[in-house]
Amino acid sequence: MIYTLQDVKNIINVSAEVALSLKELLTELDSRSGDGDLGITMEKSAHALMLEICKYEGKDIGEFLSKSAISVNRAAPSTMGTLLSCAIMELGKEFKGSEEITCEQLVKVPAIIVDAIMKRGKANRGDKTILDALIPLADALQASYARDMNLKVALKEAASAAAKGANRTKGMIAKVGRAKWIGERSRDYPDGGAVLCAALIENLSQRG
């Protein structure tokens, strides 16, 4: 199957809508282990992405993603906003000059995002961050697709892996960012970024 720029825009728009719907939950979770700005950050990022979807009239997927990254960085220059913009920028580089994306390329997208976030955020799996859901998601998506060549099945397996990863962050002590200064108190709640990641892939898996 081939995915066009419009398909990419649809995926991003759906993801933005999910992020907006979770604003209150993300704010609550982040207020327990951070500075409470995650919900607002994702709201600003979502609106920036939606605006870029409407504004961009070209055909280059990479160019669209690069412009989207710049828009997110301007709208939400916080920790998560910066990580998100860096990840989208890496995707822009990956798909520069492309007007179509194959399934084989699509299933590698989460892994590219993982690398970008790890590089910029200096975090890893087990540090109680979005990576605790994103890494198992990326691994499951690629492994399942390589085995069955069925994207719908792969998305469902990725969603299951992400949900388990997000749930495991409850009980972890944060090792990076502002949350690490809270110490033991950070055990009581799951990481907001991981919860968001699991919710996004779950929604996409339901749409197939």
Side-chain angles (χ1 to χ4, degrees), residues 110-126:
I112 295 171
I113 295 174
V114 165
D115 289 342
I117 291 177
M118 288 177 68
K119 184 182 297 183
R120 183 60 187 243
K122 308 299 182 185
N124 210 325
R125 191 172 182 173

Side-chain angles (χ1 to χ4, degrees), residues 152-206:
K152 191 175 180 104
V153 171
L155 284 169
K156 289 187 178 300
E157 291 191 17
S160 176
K164 290 176 183 177
N167 289 336
R168 289 193 190 102
T169 62
K170 183 176 181 180
M172 290 182 179
I173 297 177
K175 298 178 183 178
V176 295
R178 290 184 175 88
K180 73 178 180 180
W181 302 109
I182 297 176
E184 287 288 336
R185 284 182 294 161
S186 67
R187 283 185 184 276
D188 298 333
Y189 300 89
D191 176 73
V195 169
L196 172 61
C197 177
L200 292 176
I201 191 64
E202 173 62 27
N203 189 281
L204 292 173
S205 73
Q206 291 176 358

